[in-house]
Amino acid sequence: MPETIKRPGWDEYFMKAAHLVAQRSTCLRRKVGAVLVKDKQILATGYNGAPSGITHCEKTGCLRQKLNIPSGQRHEICRGLHAEQNVILQAACHGVSTRGSILYITNNPCSICAKMIINSGIKEIIVSGAYPDIMAGEFLQEAKIKIREFKLEPELTEKETIETEVHKNEVPLL
């Protein structure tokens, strides 16, 4: 009798991909990854960080950090784009429709990203971490975007465990 191969389920597979994508982030405060999926196929990926051709925050420093601005506030003074913005932009750059797709994100979206998600036709969001933006959840609920939480099994590195502890007081959208 052949040995059974243990394969990850689709949610685990795509969420692990989102966490891997997050490792490309150049943000000094939070590493976020996003994977856009349709019909069990990856359409695009995105992570948070400075736009292409712009100096990364590791060289310029983080103005929000210097000014002690709490997470989820004053997005306009950040050099970076969010992972959700980048995944939608990557799809657009390559002529890939986002309509009817599913977005796997390592953290709940902010209200700006929630509005972009709504207008891009994404039908469902699957998240594994919280983000302090109540308005985003209200927007998504009103637009009838399905939101699910999917937590990966604890195979975390020490660094990821520390980062999780730093953000543990944030409010989930669910």
Side-chain angles (χ1 to χ4, degrees):
M1 182 173 260
E3 187 177 323
T4 303
I5 299 171
K6 184 177 180 333
R7 295 172 49 184
W10 290 111
D11 284 342
E12 180 182 0
Y13 174 70
F14 293 126
M15 190 57 75
K16 281 185 174 181
H19 281 272
L20 180 62
V21 168
Q23 293 176 21
R24 293 276 309 150
S25 170
T26 60
C27 180
L28 301 174
R29 295 180 75 174
R30 181 191 305 264
K31 308 262 183 237
V32 181
V35 174
L36 191 64
V37 174
K38 188 170 186 179
D39 299 327
K40 299 180 182 170
Q41 298 295 311
I42 294 175
L43 302 178
T45 63
Y47 52 87
N48 58 327
S52 299
I54 303 294
T55 307
H56 294 297
C57 300
E58 64 188 5
K59 293 193 172 144
T60 64
C62 176
L63 182 57
R64 295 180 71 224
Q65 202 167 33
K66 288 176 190 168
L67 297 175
N68 266 340
I69 296 171
S71 186
Q73 298 178 15
R74 303 288 316 271
H75 298 284
E76 73 279 4
I77 64 169
C78 179
R79 296 178 63 79
L81 290 166
H82 289 184
E84 304 91 327
Q85 294 166 342
N86 270 326
V87 77
I88 292 167
L89 290 168
Q90 284 302 307
C93 282
H94 296 284
V96 176
S97 174
T98 57
R99 185 163 309 285
S101 61
I102 299 171
L103 184 60
Y104 287 81
I105 324 170
T106 56
N107 293 87
N108 285 320
C110 71
S111 58
I112 295 167
C113 290
K115 291 182 277 187
M116 291 179 71
I117 289 165
I118 292 165
N119 276 4
S120 66
I122 293 169
K123 69 176 183 179
E124 182 177 4
I125 301 170
I126 301 170
V127 299
S128 69
Y131 187 78
D133 193 328
I134 300 298
M135 188 180 288
E138 292 169 352
F139 287 161
L140 293 166
Q141 186 175 28
E142 184 178 346
K144 297 182 178 29
I145 307 276
K146 184 177 177 184
I147 305 168
R148 281 194 296 125
E149 184 177 40
F150 182 84
K151 296 276 189 194
L152 292 173
E153 293 297 318
E155 302 173 315
L156 299 177
T157 64
E158 185 177 330
K159 183 180 178 208
E160 287 175 303
T161 303
I162 291 167
E163 287 174 359
T164 301
E165 287 298 311
V166 168
H167 300 296
K168 71 180 179 186
N169 292 327
E170 295 178 354
V171 180
L173 292 178
L174 303 173

